[in-house]
Structures are given as structure tokens and as C-alpha cells.
Amino acid sequence: MIIELQSVNKVYNLGQPNEVQALFDINLVIEENSMVCLRGASGSGKSTLLAIIGCVFPATSGRAAVAGKQLARLPDRFMTIHRRRTIGFIFQQFNILPNLTVLDNIALPLLPLGISPDERRQRAAELIERLGIGHRRDFPAGQVSGGELQRVAIARALINNQPIILADEPTAHLDTTLSHDFMGIMVELKNAGKTIVIASHDPLVTEHPDMDRIIDVRDGRIDVS
Amino acid sequence: MKNRAIEKHFNLLDYALSSLWRRKLKNMGIITVFAVVIFLVASFQILTSSLTETAERMLAQTPEIVIQKMSAGRQESIPLAYLDRLDGIFGIRAAVPRVWGYYFDETSGANYTVMAADRSLMPEGKNLEMAIEGDFPAAGQGEAALGREVAANLKLAGRRTFSLFRPDLSLKSFRVSGIFAESTDLLTADLIVTGLDEGRDLFAIPENLATDLLLYVANPGEISTIAKKIAARLPDTRVLTRPQIHKTYKVVFGWRSGFASICLLTALAAFAILAWDKASGLSAEEKREIGILKILGWQTADILVLRFWESLAVSGLAFLGGCTAAYLHILFLEGSLFRPVLLGWSVIHPSLKIVPVFAAGDLLLIFTLSVLPYLAATVIPAWRGSTIPPDAAIK
Ligand SMILES: Nc1ncnc2c1ncn2[C@@H]1O[C@H](COP(=O)(O)OP(=O)(O)OP(=O)(O)O)[C@@H](O)[C@H]1O
Ligand SMILES: [Mg+2]
């Protein structure tokens, strides 16, 4: 298993008047090279769970291990290092810098790794071609379409060849065709050996034939199905 | 393997420069305003240093001791007989009576300083002579040497003679023997140098009197001892020594430059506050960018380094631009923006050729007061902003 959560709780704003518990006693194991889906209504805690798996912030209590590393009490700095090595994150609103070119956006995670400009360009260009957005390479990201933008986001999540891909409601802004395309890419990635976790309530995603497992999230708890 | 840590810094620098370039309009604006402020402060500092140096070079040629007669706390003419009472004080190389005063020229509205002494008696006559393009005025021949501004005001235009009014409004005429060199402008611009008798005649001072007595001392180490002896022998005089004159001059000059410095530093401080204000309120766009970079695996330190390069580029460019402009302003325009402040507002003020003195200390001071606060004003808020958790970007 590449992801293992034991009795994980997450409380936002702990000890403050606006304290919210988003996750309750989560126990979850995800096998390497599987494609799983976190399904649940809005506010159920999918994004929170994804963020904990994605080493964005630590669980409030419980044990979480991702790619062989215990995340509990890992200092922020090391959490970041672990995240960029293991996690490729595809965000719902893409989180693209609109003034940068498509290529520069995709290469962004490589800058603090000390990777030379030539190598960055080469790696990004390869992914751009693979994802079929070669004709947009030098466009400012703010000027490309939603479907293209998502491919930019996917390329960026793959740039450091991370073993785990997390996607948060990836099809929310896409039409049916583009959603199909997206799932096609995910299947390809899975076949290439990646582990994929997608949070979604879109049937196109949740009921996809290649989906290995569906995990239902309800009010911060997961149903063991 | 190439050194990743070094390559990383190049990457961050590269990113910093290109993001400055992407917001070029805004950043050009900041750089321009900043450069103007630095230009003002730097011109001023360089001008002050240059003038101080020029002045000190010139003051080095003044007599070691000046004796003035005092009466009721005011200076009055000194009897030449006082010279005899200095007999027997060792170490006095020469004693020269001098007549000097101010002459108001009604036509041009300018004040001239008239200095009358006989060159033959003055050990530093040679120096003065070297400062004159032409000849030193010969004693008793009705000759005068003029500062450049005086010559311009009198509209000589090639004429070799001019006239000034005596107190009784009769005219006294002079023949121009030479003009003071431009390099001595700070001290000679408004100067008319003539023989002792001519000076007495012009101001209607009786034969046996002078304005003051100049003493030249053989050994500069003895100046204060000799000054004390003179003061004891001539109790109704004031004895000024060269070090004292230097000090007074420096105080006046220093006060002026200090005052103007404060004005300029205020401008600099205002800019720093502006920069702080601008930088401390990270815009929503900047916050978003920081959030995205963080979630993509940038460390807080990386973002600070990025911010540091950005600020260094902005303030460094402004610093270089401002200092270069200041240097050129003084080299080619002779600091025309600030000379009135430093040299006074008299109608005649020196148009001396200033050679820019670029003191490392001045530059360091300006650097400390401009680049460093700007760095602090931008990096510190970025540090506060970049410690926000990365999940802000996924909201
Ligand atoms: N930063 C935060 N501070 C406080 N409460 C939060 C924060 N983020 C999420 N929550 C709360 O935690 C709960 C779970 O939120 P989460 O975003 O994980 O749900 P979700 O399943 O992703 O919902 P959606 O489908 O709307 O994205 C919600 O009640 C939400 O209001
Ligand atoms: Mg969500």
C-alpha cells in the first residue's frame, strides 16, 4: 500500500470559536498503482482528505503514511520536500498563473529543485506534446481554453514524475467530451504505473469502468463498503 | 552532477527578473521614483563632499593668524602702530596690514569683497599670484585683480579699467591686472584684490589704520602659543587662528548641508514608508501567486529569496541610476540644482568648477538608507505572507 491512514481526524481552527471538525476517525488503505475515487456531497470532506494524503497539511490526530513516510509531526519544510517528490496535484480551479506561458507554468515546480532551464524546457515540452497542447506552448496560460488549461494542470502535476496523482473535482469545469478525455489520460497514467486518487461526485468519473475502488465520504466519515 | 543549490538560485533569480519584466510598467514607476530620490540625496552628498574639499584646499592658503581690534564688542580699524608691539615675539615670519570690506555695487545689486594688502609683504603672495590669470596688482599703481563673477558683473568686456565709488561718491578708477582662476571660485568669485593704499583710498580709511593684521608663522605647531602671546600684549584685540577659522567655516557650511540633508532624508524616509505600505499589503494576486508556488513545492525560503532578488533588482537599479545621474549632474551641470542651497543665495555665488568627489562612505550611507530599507520593506511582508499554509491556494 502506498497510502495508509489510521484513525485520522482533522479539525480546522482548533481551539477557536470557528472550530470545525472535517474528518472523523478515517481508516483507509490505497494500494500502489490503483485508481480510486473519493465520492461524496459538497462539504463532506473530500478535499480535506485529499489534502492530508497530498501532504498539504498534517492530520490533527491519527497516523498517515504516504509513500513510505509517516507524516505525523513532519516539519513543514520536510513535508514540502516529500510532497514535491511524491505527489502530483491537479486542482479544481487549476491554480495556474495566467501571466506565465503554458510552458513556464508547467515547469514551475522544477525551479526550486535546481533544475537547469534547458532541462526544464525539455521536460515540459515533452509533456506538452504528450498531452496534445503543443500549439499552445508559448501562449500566456490566461489565454487558453478550459480544457487546455486542465491539460496544463495535468502536465504540471506530472513534471516531476511523482508516483501519486491526486485530482480534486477535475471534471467540474469540463463538458462531457473533455471529461472523457480527462479520464482517458488518467487511465493511461495508471497503466504507466501511477497511483491515482480522484475526489469527485461526477458519475462520469465515479462510474468509470477502469475505476478500481469507490470510497464514499459522508459528513467527514468514510463508509467501508 | 551540477550544483543544484547554485542552479536553484539562478532559477529563482531568473524567475524574479522575468516576473519584474511581466509587471514592467509598475516596476519602472517604482524604480523611477526611487531613482529620483536617490539622485537628490546622492547629488547632495557628492556636492557637499566636493565643496568641502575645494574649500579646505583653498583655506589652506589663508594666513595662520588674523588680529582684529575690538571696541565695545565690535570690530574696528586697527592702528598700524600695533605692529610694533609685536616686536620680540619669536616665530612670526611676516606681519601684513590688510584693508578689507564689502562694496555694494548698486548697478548690479551685488556685493563684492575687497581685499587690499601689499603682495611684497605676504609670504603666500606667490600662491595668490598663481591663482590669478594675469598679474598680481602692483602696490600703489591703481591695479586690481578680480574674481570671475565680479568681472562678469562689471561687464568689462575687454576693457581693462573700471571705477568704484568712494564713500563721498567720488569715483576711484582701477586697472585690471588679472582675473582669478575658475578653480578658486569658491573663495574668489566675489573678490577684488588691490594694493593696501588703493583699498584705504576706496574705503576712506586713514593712513595709519588697517582693517586687520595678518600674521604668518614659521612653524604651524606654534600658532596657538603665538596667538596667546599676542592676545596678552594686545588686550583690546581678537586673535583668530587658522584652525579657528576653519572650524567656523565648517560649522556654517555643515549646518547648511545638514539642514538640506535632513530635508532629503525626509524624502527618502517618505519613500521608504511608501514602499513599506505598498509591500506590506500584499495584493490578492501576489498572495495567490505565493499560495500556488507553495503548493507546487516551493519552500518559504525560496519565496523569500525570490522576493529578495526582486527587491534587490529594483532598488539596485534605482541606486545605480540615481548615483550615476547625480555624478553626471555634478560633472556636467556642476550641481546647478543644489549650489544655491550650499553656497548661499547671494547674487554672486561661486561658479567654481567642481570635480565630483565620490566618497565610498557617502555611497555606503546612501546604500544603507535606500536599498536596505527597501529590501526590508518588501522581504519582511513577503515572509509574513509566505508562512501562510499552502492550502490557501486550493480554497
Ligand atoms: N480552511 C478551512 N477552515 C475551516 N473550515 C473548513 C476549511 N476547509 C474546509 N472546511 C470545512 O470542512 C468541511 C469539509 O470541507 P471540504 O472542503 O473537505 O469538503 P468537500 O467534500 O471538498 O466539499 P466540496 O465538494 O464543496 O469541495 C466543510 O464543512 C468545510 O466547511
Ligand atoms: Mg472540495
Side-chain angles (χ1 to χ4, degrees):
Chain A
M1 65 237 152
I2 195 163
I3 296 161
E4 185 177 13
L5 306 187
Q6 280 174 26
S7 315
V8 162
N9 290 282
K10 173 66 189 178
V11 182
Y12 285 109
N13 311 319
L14 186 64
Q16 283 161 34
N18 55 346
E19 181 178 300
V20 180
Q21 180 151 10
L23 294 178
F24 297 85
D25 194 34
I26 303 283
N27 291 287
L28 176 64
V29 171
I30 295 173
E31 297 298 332
E32 190 165 353
N33 194 22
S34 63
M35 176 149 81
V36 307
C37 173
L38 304 176
R39 180 171 66 185
S42 186
S44 58
K46 304 182 296 293
S47 294
T48 307
L49 192 49
L50 222 45
I52 287 173
I53 295 170
C55 310
V56 175
F57 48 67
T60 309
S61 68
R63 294 157 62 84
V66 173
K69 200 165 216 117
Q70 280 294 335
L71 302 184
R73 287 187 295 278
L74 200 57
D76 189 51
R77 226 174 87 73
F78 295 103
M79 191 99 137
T80 301
I81 292 173
H82 190 56
R83 180 171 71 243
R84 65 191 184 196
R85 275 196 198 131
T86 53
I87 309 287
F89 221 125
I90 301 164
F91 308 96
Q92 183 179 336
Q93 15 2 14
F94 307 138
N95 282 337
I96 295 287
L97 295 177
N99 297 323
L100 255 54
T101 64
V102 163
L103 184 120
D104 286 343
N105 262 290
I106 292 170
L108 219 43
L110 299 180
L111 266 69
L113 301 179
I115 291 172
S116 70
D118 285 347
E119 191 183 339
R120 286 195 324 252
R121 278 190 81 77
Q122 191 207 322
R123 279 213 228 166
E126 251 168 50
L127 280 168
I128 287 172
E129 291 304 328
R130 234 172 85 193
L131 287 161
I133 44 175
H135 57 300
R136 292 285 182 255
R137 198 183 72 175
D138 298 314
F139 276 54
Q143 291 175 18
V144 306
S145 72
E148 289 165 341
L149 213 49
Q150 184 170 56
R151 285 164 190 254
V152 176
I154 296 169
R156 191 179 60 185
L158 297 173
I159 189 77
N160 207 22
N161 199 23
Q162 300 95 322
I164 302 174
I165 303 298
L166 306 181
D168 195 354
E169 317 233 15
T171 58
H173 295 312
L174 303 181
D175 62 24
T176 319
T177 324
L178 289 174
S179 299
H180 271 299
D181 291 351
F182 173 79
M183 285 312 291
I185 297 169
M186 290 300 117
V187 171
E188 254 178 59
L189 291 173
K190 190 202 150 190
N191 293 340
K194 309 250 182 218
T195 306
I196 294 164
V197 183
I198 307 174
S200 181
H201 46 230
D202 180 356
L204 244 166
V205 174
T206 56
E207 278 152 36
H208 195 276
D210 285 278
M211 194 62 72
D212 292 315
R213 217 174 125 200
I214 295 170
I215 297 159
D216 277 306
V217 186
R218 202 166 292 136
D219 299 331
R221 294 181 164 84
I222 59 174
D223 290 357
V224 196
S225 52
Chain B
M1 191 180 96
K2 244 191 167 171
N3 190 331
R4 292 280 189 213
I6 291 176
E7 189 76 56
K8 173 174 119 178
H9 278 276
F10 278 115
N11 287 347
L12 296 180
L13 176 59
D14 185 31
Y15 185 80
L17 295 181
S18 57
S19 74
L20 285 180
W21 185 246
R22 266 182 275 123
R23 303 182 188 108
K24 45 185 166 297
L25 228 64
K26 182 185 137 201
N27 287 308
M28 294 290 186
I30 295 176
I31 291 174
T32 308
V33 174
F34 201 177
V36 167
V37 174
I38 288 175
F39 161 75
L40 293 176
V41 177
S43 307
F44 200 73
Q45 283 289 340
I46 297 168
L47 196 60
T48 307
S49 299
S50 309
L51 286 177
T52 310
E53 212 193 76
T54 313
E56 269 171 13
R57 216 172 44 230
M58 297 311 300
L59 279 173
Q61 297 185 4
T62 55
E64 282 91 4
I65 296 175
V66 175
I67 307 174
Q68 301 171 335
K69 177 152 193 306
M70 302 300 289
S71 171
R74 296 170 59 90
Q75 194 199 335
E76 61 173 31
S77 297
I78 190 166
L80 294 190
Y82 277 38
L83 282 173
D84 302 334
R85 289 164 64 184
L86 299 176
D87 276 355
I89 298 181
F90 284 114
I92 299 179
R93 186 153 60 118
V96 183
R98 174 174 74 167
V99 164
W100 78 277
Y102 298 115
Y103 179 90
F104 180 67
D105 180 2
E106 303 217 16
T107 357
S108 64
N111 262 307
Y112 307 144
T113 302
V114 178
M115 234 266 281
D118 287 337
R119 189 229 149 188
S120 55
L121 299 172
M122 294 156 78
E124 103 281 34
K126 265 259 166 321
N127 278 339
L128 266 177
E129 203 168 313
M130 266 156 39
I132 295 174
E133 289 161 359
D135 293 319
F136 198 90
Q141 305 293 309
E143 289 185 343
L146 306 180
R148 296 165 55 81
E149 292 285 341
V150 179
N153 265 304
L154 290 174
K155 300 191 178 64
L156 287 180
R159 276 185 296 123
R160 303 297 296 171
T161 58
F162 65 96
S163 301
L164 302 176
F165 290 101
R166 295 189 185 91
D168 63 6
L169 298 186
S170 61
L171 278 171
K172 168 151 184 68
S173 63
F174 290 91
R175 196 169 58 254
V176 179
S177 67
I179 306 284
F180 280 100
E182 200 179 349
S183 60
T184 64
D185 261 1
L186 185 64
L187 294 180
T188 63
D190 66 342
L191 199 59
I192 299 176
V193 171
T194 183
L196 184 63
D197 290 336
E198 285 84 351
R200 278 207 190 99
D201 185 6
L202 178 67
F203 290 132
I205 293 174
E207 282 284 322
N208 56 345
L209 294 179
T211 312
D212 49 22
L213 305 176
L214 310 183
L215 297 195
Y216 295 86
V217 170
N219 174 6
E222 291 175 11
I223 291 177
S224 64
T225 326
I226 294 173
K228 271 187 207 127
K229 283 184 192 162
I230 297 169
R233 285 205 193 175
L234 305 174
D236 58 346
T237 64
R238 176 163 65 186
V239 183
L240 299 173
T241 63
R242 187 157 74 190
Q244 278 173 346
I245 296 170
H246 271 217
K247 233 192 202 143
T248 327
Y249 182 84
K250 267 195 171 156
V251 166
V252 172
F253 194 64
W255 181 84
R256 273 199 185 150
S257 83
F259 177 74
S261 293
I262 285 171
C263 296
L264 290 172
L265 285 181
T266 312
L268 204 59
F271 178 78
I273 291 167
L274 210 79
W276 176 270
D277 189 51
K278 172 221 148 256
S280 55
L282 285 181
S283 70
E285 191 198 337
E286 287 169 314
K287 273 190 191 144
R288 195 175 106 87
E289 179 174 347
I290 289 178
I292 291 175
L293 293 178
K294 283 208 80 172
I295 202 138
L296 293 179
W298 290 49
Q299 301 280 12
T300 302
D302 299 333
I303 287 165
L304 292 189
V305 170
L306 172 67
R307 230 19 214 242
F308 173 82
W309 284 129
E310 278 183 12
S311 307
L312 193 66
V314 166
S315 53
L317 274 179
F319 179 76
L320 283 181
C323 287
T324 309
Y327 187 81
L328 296 179
H329 168 225
I330 289 174
L331 194 63
F332 294 117
L333 301 175
E334 319 216 315
S336 45
L337 247 48
F338 298 110
R339 292 166 70 112
V341 185
L342 287 174
L343 300 176
W345 282 269
S346 65
V347 171
I348 284 190
H349 53 77
S351 59
L352 76 162
K353 188 93 194 153
I354 299 169
V355 180
V357 177
F358 237 131
D362 288 342
L363 286 184
L364 199 67
L365 181 75
I366 298 166
F367 185 85
T368 312
L369 291 174
S370 59
V371 174
L372 294 190
Y374 187 78
L375 284 180
T378 51
V379 172
I380 291 172
W383 167 69
R384 282 206 241 110
S386 64
T387 50
I388 50 167
D391 57 309
I394 54 173
K395 282 291 143 231

